[in-house]
């Protein structure tokens, strides 16, 4: 993936969903738009978290205009 250029707009949002009775899924969504407001790339990471602070990266999905990469962690 290409890093954002100086004039791009980079937005990061999050979503928190219940997973099990002792964990939650945190989704971090990054959207990169060019100066015309067109989406250039997206990156979504899903992380399992527990009340004790334990974190485990589950998936990492990166997409741009010409390709997509999905990594699933076991």
């Amino acid at each position: 993936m290409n890093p954002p250029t100086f004039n791009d707009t980079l937005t990061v949002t999050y979503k928190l969903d219940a997973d099990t009775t002792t964990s939650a899924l945190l989704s971090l969504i990054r959207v990169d738009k060019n100066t015309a407001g067109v989406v250039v790339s997206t990156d979504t990471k899903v992380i399992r978290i527990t009340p004790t602070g334990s974190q485990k990266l589950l998936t990492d999905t990166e997409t741009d205009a010409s390709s997509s990469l999905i990594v699933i962690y076991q």
Side-chain angles (χ1 to χ4, degrees):
M1 300 295 147
N2 295 324
T5 61
F6 181 72
N7 293 321
D8 287 358
T9 301
L10 185 62
T11 306
V12 179
T13 57
Y14 69 92
K15 179 178 151 187
L16 190 61
D17 293 307
D19 182 32
T20 68
T21 57
T22 59
S23 66
L25 297 177
L26 174 64
S27 298
L28 298 173
I29 304 107
R30 184 199 69 172
V31 178
D32 181 17
K33 295 181 181 179
N34 64 17
T35 56
V38 176
V39 174
V40 176
S41 66
T42 60
D43 178 23
T44 303
K45 291 179 177 22
V46 179
I47 304 160
R48 178 176 287 129
I49 57 174
T50 66
T52 61
S54 173
Q55 304 171 19
K56 180 180 181 185
L57 181 60
L58 300 178
T59 62
D60 187 357
T61 304
E62 295 193 28
T63 305
D64 65 18
S66 62
S67 63
S68 184
L69 173 66
I70 302 171
V71 179
I72 300 172
Y73 298 89
Q74 299 288 328

